Amino acid sequence: MAAAALLILVYLLLRRPVTPEERERRRRRAVNTSGRIIDGLITEVRVLEGPAGAASHLLYFSYNLHGVTYAAAQDITSLLAHIDRDPYRLAGPVLVKYLPRNPPNSIVICEEWSGLR
């Protein structure tokens, strides 16, 4: 019993912390794996300037599910290589993946799937 507790303690102390980027990648993967697809609309693409000139590309979109309109945003900065056109020209119809148990948790694009038309 003490050995198991010691192993768990060592594991917890030595594991590396999960970065926000990795946490977001895991979220996208979960939505892609378990999500359902619905029609949506990209309403805006915005570039936010960060510290030291770093820019974040945000994709704003909305979709209607069972009479409820959801509006969400997705940071697509790390996914720009998966987009075959200028991000500013993405406005319009799109496919959205959402989690049935948590519809606001949604994506338009991830590493393995794209709802862009």
Side-chain angles (χ1 to χ4, degrees), residues 12-23:
L12 291 175
L13 290 175
L14 294 180
R15 73 177 179 167
R16 68 184 170 125
V18 178
T19 64
E21 293 81 13
E22 176 64 15
R23 188 175 301 118

Side-chain angles (χ1 to χ4, degrees), residues 36-39 62-70 98-104:
R36 293 193 180 154
I37 298 175
I38 192 168
D39 288 322
S62 63
Y63 52 102
N64 190 309
L65 178 65
H66 304 298
V68 178
T69 300
Y70 294 93
Y98 69 94
L99 289 178
R101 291 186 177 204
N102 185 9

Side-chain angles (χ1 to χ4, degrees), residues 32 35-39 65 94-98 113 115 117:
N32 183 46
R36 293 193 180 154
I37 298 175
I38 192 168
D39 288 322
L65 178 65
V94 70
L95 295 175
V96 176
K97 271 196 181 182
Y98 69 94
W113 177 82
R117 296 183 180 178

Side-chain angles (χ1 to χ4, degrees), residues 50-67:
S56 294
H57 293 74
L58 296 178
L59 185 70
Y60 293 87
F61 59 98
S62 63
Y63 52 102
N64 190 309
L65 178 65
H66 304 298

Side-chain angles (χ1 to χ4, degrees), residues 38-53:
I38 192 168
D39 288 322
L41 183 67
I42 295 176
T43 56
E44 183 179 1
V45 177
R46 191 181 298 175
V47 177
L48 302 176
E49 296 296 328

